[in-house]
Amino acid sequence: MLLAACIGLAGCGSAPEQGAPAAQMSQGPSAAQQSLDDAPPELAKLYGQGNELLGGGASAFEARLDELKGHPVVVNKWASWCPPCRAELPMFRSQAAKHASEIAFIGVNSQDGESDARAFLERAPIGFPSYEDPDLKVAQVFKGVATFPTTAFYEADGKLAYVKQGAYATEAKLAEDIERYAR
C-alpha cells in the first residue's frame, strides 16, 4: 500500500504546463447537465448523477461500463490532494459538456478521503459522477493504478482502447485523444 501511494504521489509532482485558471474551478454546474435533451437514456442517467461520489467499488464500476455499451466512455482517475488532477478537471468538465449526448464521462476518485472529495466537488463541480476508490480496485479495472491522474478511453463496444498516465497539459490534447480513442 505504501509503495502504491509513493508511486501515485510521484505522478503528482507538477501541474500541467497549461491548466485551466483557478477561477474556472469554481464555476457552477456543467453545461453537460443543461444539454441532456438529446442524450440517450443511459447518458442522461449518468449525467443526472453529476458531481456525486458513487460507492460499490469495482463491481459497480464494471456494471456501469456494461450499461454504457454502445457509447464511448472516458474515465478520469483523480484525487482532491493531487494538483495535476485538480488542474485538468475543468478540461474534462468542458469536454463532457461538449459531448454529453454521445460520450460518457466517469470519474474515479482514488485514495482520497470522502469528505475531502465531496468538499472539492462542491467547490469545483465536474458535471459527471465519480466512483469512490480508496483501495485502487476500480483503477485496476482500467490499468490505472500507478499514476495520478490517469485517463482511460473505452470504445463504444466496451473495449479498453487507451490508457494515458499523467495529466493533460491542454484541453486541445485531451480533445485529440477523445477524438482518436473514444469513438
Side-chain angles (χ1 to χ4, degrees):
M1 179 73 159
L2 180 59
L3 177 59
C6 290
I7 291 170
L9 285 173
C12 281
S14 62
E17 296 166 21
Q18 297 176 18
Q24 283 186 347
M25 293 296 289
S26 62
Q27 289 178 350
S30 168
Q33 294 176 342
Q34 299 168 5
S35 65
L36 293 175
D37 293 339
D38 299 329
E42 302 84 13
L43 296 181
K45 178 182 173 185
L46 175 78
Y47 290 114
Q49 294 177 308
N51 307 313
E52 289 183 28
L53 285 178
L54 307 175
S59 61
F61 175 76
E62 289 176 314
R64 177 53 69 87
L65 288 176
D66 284 343
E67 287 175 17
L68 292 168
K69 279 194 178 157
H71 308 284
V73 179
V74 177
V75 179
N76 181 252
K77 182 184 85 173
W78 63 277
S80 65
W81 49 261
C82 170
C85 301
R86 292 191 314 262
E88 76 174 4
L89 279 170
M91 296 182 236
F92 281 89
R93 177 180 56 227
S94 173
Q95 289 296 307
K98 289 177 185 174
H99 299 288
S101 65
E102 59 188 0
I103 299 174
F105 283 74
I106 301 173
V108 175
N109 178 248
S110 295
Q111 294 187 320
D112 205 354
E114 182 180 345
S115 61
D116 292 335
R118 287 188 192 284
F120 174 78
L121 289 173
E122 284 180 27
R123 289 189 314 272
I126 57 176
F128 50 87
S130 294
Y131 283 86
E132 293 177 288
D133 187 28
D135 55 6
L136 295 170
K137 298 290 187 197
V138 176
Q140 286 177 355
V141 171
F142 56 89
K143 301 173 180 68
V145 174
T147 305
F148 282 84
T150 296
T151 304
F153 297 86
Y154 286 86
E155 296 172 350
D157 65 2
K159 179 183 171 209
L160 182 62
Y162 176 65
V163 178
K164 182 193 184 320
Q165 305 287 335
Y168 279 96
T170 66
E171 188 170 338
K173 292 288 187 187
L174 172 59
E176 278 180 30
D177 280 355
I178 290 169
E179 192 62 35
R180 182 178 301 132
Y181 301 112
R183 292 291 159 193

